[in-house]
């Protein structure tokens, strides 16, 4: 299959919408990461997503809508007052809510679960595509399973060339990490996956927000993943990644030591650091993760792909505080490192 790459124009959107209606797949930009979309109400189309990604069949998809009135048919029962408050505050935006599903949503979308994840994306091209398709679009991130999520159309092409007919190019994604996934089926909102809408933002409008304990650690043996995606090794570069935590000066010294030791034994080390710290690493090979936690959210997946491109086999990354959007950054970085985190001594 030939994969076409088109800039976002009204004509390209119409063509993409037609492909979706025909049961085909389209790569498209959102404010979080690029999505791989199919008609959410067509089980055969949805199966193609799993094939193209090599995605395990027990990892459910998010259903994307472009009007609030598209929600009711997808779910069973009424959204709770907390869910309504969250929707009012952060939709359209990088927030996914989980509700009991209705019968119109195929089991292939929810991987057999009785709940459905729904998001109203803010990106104009994503909204225009859903409008053009005239139906909700099921879409996971447009990477091959296990690879970092794509934040540019070129990343989607790397992973999906020859597997899908069309990719819409809308430039780099604004947030850079996947949406916040919040389970709304319990007594209080529960964050299963942190993202651009932070626990602080959720608590502000919904009164309280729990964070699933699996967010900042690997699943224990036999533990059931409430967010099935969390059980897979994710976002991982090919090289072994170590995160170094602690005070700035100690972290920089520790990373320099680890880097030099790796070089000594013939590895190809690489450092991932905040922009302002780069000079402190001297002539060691280092890539910038941006200026702060928001910059890291934006840059992280692209840098992990760059690390593969360079052929780095030992990666050492700085950390950020796990609050605000930093919680999402540390969740993804932690998973990419298989939670291999070392403390730098003072
Ligand atoms: P992706 O869009 O590739 O980031 O994948 C969507 C993620 O949303 C999955 O990995 C799941 O963890 C989560 N998800 C989707 N539907 C549900 C659901 N019904 N219950 C819990 N988590 C879900
Ligand atoms: Mg994904």
């Amino acid at each position: 299959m030939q994969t076409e790459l088109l800039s976002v124009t009204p004509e390209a959107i119409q063509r993409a919408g037609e492909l979706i209606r025909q049961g085909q797949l389209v790569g498209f930009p959102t404010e979080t990461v690029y999505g791989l979309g199919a008609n959410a109400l067509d089980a055969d189309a949805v199966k193609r997503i799993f094939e193209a990604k090599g995605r395990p069949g027990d990892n459910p998809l998010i259903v994307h809508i472009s009007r609030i009135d598209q929600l009711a048919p997808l779910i069973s029962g009424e959204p709770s007052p907390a869910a309504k408050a969250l929707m009012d505050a952060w939709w359209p935006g990088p927030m996914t809510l989980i509700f009991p599903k209705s019968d119109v949503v195929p089991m292939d979308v929810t991987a057999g679960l009785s709940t459905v994840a729904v998001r109203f994306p803010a990106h104009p091209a994503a909204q225009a595509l859903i409008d053009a398709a005239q139906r909700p679009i099921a879409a996971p991130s447009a990477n091959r399973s296990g690879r970092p999520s794509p934040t540019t159309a070129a990343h989607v092409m790397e992973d999906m060339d020859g597997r899908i007919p069309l990719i819409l190019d809308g430039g780099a994604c604004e947030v850079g990490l996947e949406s916040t996934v919040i389970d709304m089926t319990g007594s209080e909102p529960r964050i299963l996956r942190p993202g651009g809408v932070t626990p602080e933002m959720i608590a502000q409008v919904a009164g309280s927000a729990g964070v699933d304990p699996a967010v900042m650690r690997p699943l224990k043996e036999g533990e059931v993943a409430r967010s099935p995606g969390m059980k897979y090794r994710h976002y991982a570069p090919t090289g072994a990644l170590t995160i170094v935590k602690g005070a700035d000066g100690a972290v920089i010294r520790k990373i320099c030591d680890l880097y030099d030791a790796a070089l000594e034994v013939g590895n190809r080390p690489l450092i991932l650091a905040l922009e302002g710290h780069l000079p402190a690493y001297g002539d060691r090979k280092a890539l910038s993760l941006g200026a702060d936690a928001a910059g890291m959210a934006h840059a992280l997946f692209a840098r992990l792909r760059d690390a593969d491109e360079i052929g780095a086999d030992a990666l050492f990354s700085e950390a950020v505080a796990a609050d605000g959007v930093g919680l999402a950054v540390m969740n993804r970085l932690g998973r990419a490192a298989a939670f291999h985190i070392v403390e730098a001594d003072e």
Side-chain angles (χ1 to χ4, degrees), residues 14-35:
Q14 283 317 309
R15 181 155 153 55
E18 197 167 310
L19 283 167
I20 297 281
R21 285 200 299 279
Q22 290 166 358
Q24 298 299 318
L25 306 184
V26 174
F28 67 100
T30 82
E31 71 276 25
T32 58
V33 300
Y34 272 73

Side-chain angles (χ1 to χ4, degrees), residues 243-262:
I243 302 168
V244 183
K245 267 180 149 166
D248 280 359
V251 165
I252 290 166
R253 278 193 302 278
K254 180 77 180 173
I255 289 182
C256 286
D257 289 348
L258 290 168
Y259 180 104
D260 295 346

Side-chain angles (χ1 to χ4, degrees), residues 33-34 53 55 59 140-143 145-150 178 193 234-235:
V33 300
Y34 272 73
K53 283 183 59 93
R55 184 174 178 100
N59 192 1
S141 50
N143 51 289
S145 233
R147 298 258 294 151
S149 296
E178 304 86 345
R193 177 177 76 181
H234 246 141
Y235 322 115

Side-chain angles (χ1 to χ4, degrees), residues 233 235-246 251 254-259 261-262 267-273 281 289 296 300 304 307 312-320 330 332-344:
R233 180 155 187 254
Y235 322 115
T238 309
L241 171 63
T242 301
I243 302 168
V244 183
K245 267 180 149 166
V251 165
K254 180 77 180 173
I255 289 182
C256 286
D257 289 348
L258 290 168
Y259 180 104
N267 284 336
R268 271 192 286 183
L270 178 68
I271 296 166
L272 302 176
Y281 291 105
L289 286 173
M296 267 173 98
L300 180 63
L304 293 178
D313 53 15
L315 284 79
F316 305 102
S317 179
E318 297 182 352
V320 283
M330 291 311 294
R332 305 308 193 279
L333 196 57
R335 265 158 222 286
F339 290 98
H340 186 224
I341 301 171
V342 303
E343 291 280 343

